[in-house]
Amino acid sequence: MNKKQVERSRFLMGDATVDMLLQVHQDAMWILENLGVGCKQIEIQDEFRKFTEEGQAVVHEDRIYITSELVERCLEAVPGVDSFFVPMNSFFIGGTAPYVYDDEAGKGGIFPTPDHVSRIARIAEKNDIVAGMGRGVKLKDEVEQMNIMVQNCKKPLYFAVTSDSSLEQAKKIYDERGRVMIVFCLTRPPLEVNENFSDHFVKVVKAGLPIFISAMPMAGISAPYCYNGVLAMTHAEVLFGICAAQLLNPGAICIHAGFPTIADPRIEYNPNYGLISHNLLNILMSHLNLMLDLPTFQSAGTTHEEHLTEKALRDAKRGQALCLKYGTHMIRHPFAFLRYLIDFSFAKLEKTISIAEEVTPDDAPHVEMPVYDERGMESIRQIGLGMYMEDPLTTANIGRIFVD
């Protein structure tokens, strides 16, 4: 535990909210010990089986249960924030949109090209406010995308590895220049390993590459509809990935990229990235991880606007300002994305970079800091791996929390 960060978080957010976050950590460990994580990947199973005789883990019917003792043991092995290669309060051009937005025609749906990736990388390189970049958009050829990014941007990068050829190229890039992260959504709700990626997760960790572990439970669908409930589910999924990485390769660099998300009943329970609450929820996730001395990468500055409206730009500004007011480590999605992170707008990218160069903490909107809601864990104990749309807590909290 980073005691200085705990004091800083208490000063910024208040004792009750920090106490909530510390309880979220305990709740996440309860989830791992009592609900476990479904996993069929043999090498991951075998690493946890080594701790069954000590009573620190159980592997039963392709499900792994982990005690808090083993979680804490693994966390102690993760290199801390001070030794990480990205400074605090860094905005990245991150995320992976499947399409590019046609800014002249005012519509999305354009398939990305290598020229688009090159353009994103050059913009990232030339603007000081941009700390680094993820893919931005997705090309079919991972190796080609990596090479374009490296050729045009010297800043920290992150990208995906889902093939042996892209792994070999990632290793070469890391050996030559360092400062890269490999992104994995190792788990999918509810508490299941995504077996499409698990083999390459193991290979990447064993290769010694920094691992960026994302997870995206949604409040009201796969997690309770309250701050601490969705934070606990998100944290549990990422902690599983961190533990797996540390057992496979002790001392591996792990980035906690938990991405707690809000399902909005007003839009048929689709994610709403434009809420002030979305920014706050991810800032809270960041503070918990910083208190645990974990490098951390969250989402903020996003919008629910389908087109590049003035509101889309206001959403970016208030999200960026909230991050500066309360402090974060790394933030993805603060620039170019439109509704559902589907379309990447170059006009929005340029305009929100300009906003980020001028925004201050004083531009942040007022937010009510949440406190611990006991009903969140009550829901998890009752519903477990089920869906939370019909959970009484969801209906009770609609219109009361997660608002704009």
Side-chain angles (χ1 to χ4, degrees):
M1 190 67 68
N2 185 326
K3 294 182 179 179
K4 288 185 178 179
Q5 180 62 47
V6 174
E7 293 174 2
R8 189 179 301 118
S9 296
R10 289 191 184 279
F11 174 76
L12 291 166
M13 296 181 166
D15 289 340
T17 299
V18 171
D19 289 344
M20 177 193 77
L21 293 176
L22 296 176
Q23 186 59 48
V24 162
H25 183 53
Q26 299 302 316
D27 292 347
M29 291 194 290
W30 184 95
I31 290 168
L32 290 175
E33 186 165 349
N34 291 275
L35 299 180
V37 175
C39 177
K40 297 179 181 179
Q41 213 286 334
I42 297 300
E43 290 178 82
I44 294 176
Q45 285 190 3
D46 287 346
E47 290 299 329
F48 282 104
R49 279 199 181 92
K50 296 175 182 178
F51 294 88
T52 57
E53 289 189 7
E54 301 176 40
Q56 294 185 15
V58 173
V59 181
H60 178 67
E61 295 184 348
D62 290 334
R63 199 158 197 87
I64 299 173
Y65 303 83
I66 314 169
T67 65
S68 58
E69 184 179 358
L70 183 54
V71 172
E72 297 292 2
R73 182 172 173 174
C74 290
L75 289 177
E76 289 176 2
V78 181
V81 176
D82 287 345
S83 63
F84 196 67
F85 52 83
V86 178
M88 295 287 288
N89 298 319
S90 291
F91 291 148
F92 273 59
I93 303 175
T96 310
Y99 303 110
V100 174
Y101 187 82
D102 186 331
D103 292 300
E104 291 186 4
K107 63 180 181 179
I110 298 173
F111 287 104
T113 68
D115 286 342
H116 290 128
V117 176
S118 177
R119 185 178 172 190
I120 294 168
R122 293 196 305 271
I123 291 171
E125 179 65 20
K126 78 175 184 180
N127 287 280
D128 291 340
I129 198 67
V130 180
M133 68 172 289
R135 292 178 291 179
V137 296
K138 182 179 180 180
L139 300 183
K140 291 182 179 180
D141 189 331
E142 287 179 342
V143 174
E144 180 184 23
Q145 185 149 16
M146 287 179 193
N147 291 338
I148 293 171
M149 292 166 68
V150 170
Q151 290 163 8
N152 291 279
C153 184
K154 297 182 177 64
K155 296 178 180 180
L157 307 173
Y158 72 90
F159 34 69
V161 165
T162 62
S163 69
D164 290 344
S165 59
S166 59
L167 172 58
E168 289 306 310
Q169 186 63 12
K171 288 162 60 177
K172 180 181 177 182
I173 293 168
Y174 186 60
D175 289 342
E176 291 175 350
R177 54 156 285 169
R179 298 187 306 146
V180 299
M181 299 169 271
I182 311 302
V183 57
F184 277 97
C185 287
L186 178 62
T187 53
R188 55 177 174 79
L191 295 167
E192 292 281 342
V193 165
N194 189 336
E195 302 296 352
N196 292 327
F197 303 128
S198 59
D199 287 345
H200 278 96
F201 174 87
V202 171
K203 291 178 181 180
V204 167
V205 171
K206 286 187 171 182
L209 298 171
I211 197 86
F212 170 130
I213 304 170
S214 189
M216 189 182 157
M218 292 180 64
I221 293 183
S222 54
Y225 201 76
C226 68
Y227 279 94
N228 52 278
V230 67
L231 285 168
M233 292 292 274
T234 305
H235 192 46
E237 290 195 11
V238 179
L239 286 180
F240 174 83
I242 290 174
C243 289
Q246 294 307 314
L247 298 183
L248 288 161
N249 185 3
I253 298 172
C254 293
I255 299 93
H256 189 309
F259 178 10
T261 305
I262 301 161
D264 194 333
R266 298 171 300 178
I267 51 174
E268 298 181 345
Y269 285 90
N270 284 306
N272 190 335
Y273 301 126
L275 298 174
I276 287 178
S277 298
H278 173 80
N279 299 292
L280 179 57
L281 187 59
N282 278 266
I283 290 168
L284 291 168
M285 184 86 269
S286 179
H287 271 256
L288 171 56
N289 298 332
L290 292 172
M291 289 191 289
L292 295 171
D293 200 25
L294 293 171
T296 184
F297 212 151
Q298 274 63 58
S299 172
T302 43
T303 188
H304 190 66
E305 293 293 284
E306 183 179 1
H307 302 287
L308 182 51
T309 63
E310 287 301 315
K311 185 179 187 309
L313 298 177
R314 288 197 302 271
D315 289 344
K317 182 176 182 178
R318 66 185 185 176
Q320 294 170 2
L322 281 166
C323 289
L324 295 179
K325 180 175 181 178
Y326 293 104
T328 58
H329 186 188
M330 297 175 281
I331 292 295
R332 58 202 198 263
H333 312 138
F335 296 121
F337 296 94
L338 294 166
R339 181 182 294 178
Y340 302 137
L341 312 181
I342 287 177
D343 286 312
F344 187 102
S345 164
F346 281 93
K348 184 170 186 280
L349 173 61
E350 297 280 10
K351 290 178 180 179
T352 52
I353 284 175
S354 297
I355 291 170
E357 290 171 338
E358 299 178 356
V359 71
T360 72
D362 291 337
D363 294 316
H366 172 74
V367 292
E368 292 288 339
M369 282 293 161
V371 298
Y372 191 76
D373 188 339
E374 296 279 357
R375 297 172 297 175
M377 274 305 289
E378 290 175 6
S379 294
I380 290 172
R381 290 188 181 96
Q382 291 173 6
I383 296 173
L385 304 178
M387 292 290 104
Y388 289 79
M389 291 176 67
E390 302 301 325
D391 178 18
L393 179 59
T394 302
T395 54
N397 272 341
I398 290 175
R400 296 179 181 273
I401 64 166
F402 299 149
V403 294
D404 214 10

